[in-house]
Amino acid sequence: MATARLLFGTVGCALVFAVSSLYSASDDVIELTPTNFHKEVIQSDSLWLVEFYAPWCGHCQRLTPDWKKAASALKGVVKIGAVDADKHQSLGGQYGVKGFPSIKIFGSNKNKPEDYQGARTGEAIVDGALSALRSFVKDRLGGRSSGYDSGRQSGGGSKKDVVELNDDNFDSTVLNSEDVWLVEFFAPWCGHCKTLEPEWAAAATEVKEQTQGKVKLAAVDATVNQVLASRYGIRGFPTIKIFQKGESPLDYDGGRTKTDIVARALDLFSENAPPPELKEIINEEVVKKTCEEHQLCVVAVLPHILDTGAAGRNDYLTIMLKMADKYKKKMWGWLWTEAGAQLDLESSLGIGGFGYPAMAAVNARKMKFALLKGSFSEQGINEFLRELSFGRGSTAPVAGGAIPKINTVEAWDGKDGELPAEEEIDLSDVDLDDFDKDEL
C-alpha cells in the first residue's frame, strides 16, 4: 500500500505523506500496530474499543476529536485504541475492515470482536463502552474468561486444528481445495520440529477462527509419507510450503513463532479475498460513500446500452472486475455509469473527448483526477493504474473543486436496450389521388 500513497506524482506524494497519524503520544488513545496489537489487546484482561481508520478519510478526521474525548473520559475504565488500517492492511483485513472508520469492541472473546453500532459522538461512544462493559463484567461473574487462553499464547494448545495429511489424502484434501494451505513437512525425531509443534498448533486455531476456515494449517510426517516428500523436494525439517489452487507451491520463509505464522496466513487470506464491489452510479450517495471511504475512486463511463447491447456492456464490466481483483489490496473504490447519464460528472472529469468507454481515477480528498489515455482493455487499464500506483502520470483538478451533482437514475436491469416506440401514422384518410404525380 505504500506505493499507492505515492499517487499523483511528486507534488501529490508530498501532500499524501503530510497526512500522518490522527493521534499522538499525548492523547489517551493508544496507537496499535501489528507489533503490539496481540500483547495490548488480545492478551489483555480489559475491555477495548478499537477504531480502524485511514488518515486521509474525511469521516475519520471528523471522528478524531470525539474519539479523543471518549478516551479521556474512559481512562482507567475502558481501553480506547486506534489502528492506521491504511498503513497496516493485514491487521484491518484480519478483522474484516472494509470501510473507514470501523470500530470494534474486544470484550470477553478477544478473537471475535463485535461491531460498534452507535453514533460517532463522544457521549454516544462513552455510553456504548459502558454498555459493553456491563456485559463484559457479567461474563466474568458467570466465569467466562476475558483474556486470551494462557496455554495458547505461550505456544501451547491442542493439535485439533492441524490437519494431518498423508500420501493418500493430500491431493483430494489440498490440491482440489479452494482454500489456502500452509503445510509443514516434519520428522518426529527433529528437534526444530518439536519446537515448532506448539506454535503451529496454536497458529492453526487462531488462523481458523480469523479466516473462517479459508486458510488451513496442516502437517505431513515426511519420514512416513515419502512419496509426498519426494514430490516436493523435501530435504530438511521442518519445511513449510504454501499451496493455493492453480498455482505452484511456494516456500514459506517467515518466522516460526505463532505470531509470524498467523501474520503470513492473514496476508494470504487478504490476497485471496474477493475483489471490491463494482457499483453502478445510480445516485449521489453511491458516489459520496465510495469516494470518501477510499483513497482512490476508479470511475468508468461505458457506452450507451443501445450501442453495445447487454453482451458488450458485460464485456466491459468483466474487464473492470478483473482489474478490481488485481488491485484489491490498494483498497480503491470502483464505479461505473452509462454515457449521458451523468453529464456533469463526465464534464468535471474531462470525459467524452476521447469517446466511450472512458475511465478516470479520482482522488476525492485532493479533488484531482487522472484520465485513461490508452485502450479500455486489461492491458491498457493495468498500465494506467500501475503508473498511478508509482506516482506517475498527469493529473488535473476536478472542475469546480468538488464532485458535481449526481443524477438519480434507475439501475441497469441487465437486459439489452430498447428503442423508444415510434408513433404510428394513420394514412387511411389520405387520398393519394389528390397529389400531383409530378410532385411525387
Side-chain angles (χ1 to χ4, degrees):
M1 190 67 190
T3 54
R5 289 197 296 272
L6 295 176
L7 180 64
F8 295 157
T10 304
V11 175
C13 174
L15 289 173
V16 172
F17 277 111
V19 181
S20 58
S21 172
L22 300 182
Y23 304 97
S24 67
S26 62
D27 299 320
D28 292 316
V29 177
I30 300 170
E31 290 207 70
L32 300 167
T33 68
T35 302
N36 69 358
F37 194 90
H38 186 269
K39 180 179 179 181
E40 291 285 349
V41 180
I42 303 302
Q43 294 183 356
S44 171
D45 289 327
S46 301
L47 176 76
W48 278 81
L49 266 68
V50 179
E51 175 203 2
F52 293 82
Y53 72 92
W56 44 261
C57 164
H59 292 300
C60 303
Q61 293 166 6
R62 287 190 286 275
L63 173 63
T64 298
D66 287 291
W67 197 244
K68 290 180 181 179
K69 288 178 183 177
S72 297
L74 293 166
K75 188 174 183 180
V77 180
V78 174
K79 297 287 185 70
I80 302 294
V83 174
D84 182 344
D86 183 41
K87 182 177 181 182
H88 306 297
Q89 290 184 59
S90 62
L91 197 51
Q94 181 174 342
Y95 295 105
V97 174
K98 294 181 172 62
F100 304 122
S102 289
I103 299 174
K104 304 279 183 179
I105 302 172
F106 290 80
S108 298
N109 188 343
K110 294 294 196 296
N111 286 319
K112 293 183 179 179
E114 299 177 0
D115 290 325
Y116 169 79
Q117 302 287 1
R120 303 300 174 88
T121 65
E123 183 176 351
I125 293 166
V126 169
D127 287 343
L130 294 178
S131 177
L133 184 62
R134 190 175 298 109
S135 299
F136 182 73
V137 173
K138 285 183 178 180
D139 285 339
R140 281 188 174 182
L141 187 63
R144 183 176 176 183
S145 173
S146 62
Y148 191 77
D149 185 271
S150 58
R152 289 181 183 167
Q153 50 174 297
S154 62
S158 70
K159 302 177 186 177
K160 66 183 179 66
D161 293 315
V162 176
V163 181
E164 292 189 23
L165 299 171
N166 54 50
D167 290 335
D168 296 327
N169 70 4
F170 187 89
D171 287 7
S172 60
T173 304
V174 177
L175 300 187
N176 294 334
S177 172
E178 298 292 335
D179 300 325
V180 178
W181 289 79
L182 277 72
V183 180
E184 174 204 3
F185 293 83
F186 71 94
W189 44 260
C190 163
H192 291 301
C193 301
K194 293 177 181 178
T195 301
L196 174 62
E197 183 178 1
E199 303 289 335
W200 196 250
T205 298
E206 186 164 337
V207 168
K208 180 181 179 180
E209 292 176 349
Q210 298 295 351
T211 68
Q212 293 80 49
K214 295 299 182 182
V215 179
K216 294 180 170 65
L217 271 63
V220 175
D221 184 341
T223 64
V224 175
N225 301 283
Q226 296 182 13
V227 172
L228 281 175
S230 175
R231 184 198 298 183
Y232 294 110
I234 307 301
R235 293 180 172 80
F237 307 113
T239 294
I240 301 171
K241 289 188 176 288
I242 299 167
F243 293 85
Q244 302 175 82
K245 189 172 184 179
E247 299 182 18
S248 300
L250 301 173
D251 290 327
Y252 171 90
D253 56 3
R256 301 298 174 90
T257 67
K258 185 195 77 168
T259 301
D260 293 327
I261 297 163
V262 170
R264 183 70 179 101
L266 293 177
D267 280 341
L268 289 166
F269 177 64
S270 176
E271 291 170 2
N272 287 273
E277 185 180 358
L278 174 57
K279 299 180 180 180
E280 181 181 4
I281 300 175
I282 58 174
N283 54 44
E284 185 175 349
E285 183 180 355
V286 171
V287 177
K288 186 174 181 180
K289 182 176 176 61
T290 303
C291 290
E292 283 190 358
E293 292 185 359
H294 299 85
Q295 184 180 11
L296 188 70
C297 280
V298 181
V299 181
V301 180
L302 304 183
H304 195 280
I305 190 65
L306 293 176
D307 294 330
T308 64
R313 174 167 292 181
N314 283 322
D315 287 343
Y316 289 130
L317 294 176
T318 297
I319 292 173
M320 289 194 69
L321 286 170
K322 287 182 179 180
M323 291 297 99
D325 186 33
K326 183 179 181 66
Y327 286 89
K328 64 186 175 183
K329 294 186 73 175
K330 302 296 185 183
M331 298 178 73
W332 293 342
W334 293 76
L335 300 168
W336 73 275
T337 186
E338 179 179 78
Q342 305 293 344
L343 288 175
D344 290 341
L345 180 63
E346 289 187 38
S347 178
S348 68
L349 300 180
I351 290 176
F354 299 96
Y356 304 105
M359 176 178 286
V362 185
N363 185 322
R365 181 175 56 81
K366 294 166 47 180
M367 281 301 155
K368 286 190 174 183
F369 73 93
L371 200 61
L372 170 68
K373 299 292 180 65
S375 64
F376 197 100
S377 63
E378 289 184 45
Q379 181 178 352
I381 296 173
N382 182 51
E383 291 176 356
F384 169 61
L385 297 177
R386 185 178 60 201
E387 289 293 295
L388 292 180
S389 295
F390 287 99
R392 298 191 289 263
S394 60
T395 65
V398 175
I403 298 296
K405 177 185 176 182
I406 301 298
N407 299 321
T408 298
V409 298
E410 292 290 331
W412 179 46
D413 59 7
K415 301 177 181 178
D416 287 324
E418 295 182 3
L419 289 169
E422 295 183 4
E423 184 180 352
E424 295 185 2
I425 301 175
D426 185 1
L427 299 177
S428 60
D429 294 332
V430 178
D431 187 355
L432 296 179
D433 291 335
D434 291 341
F435 289 88
D436 188 329
K437 293 182 180 180
D438 292 337
E439 293 180 357
L440 297 176

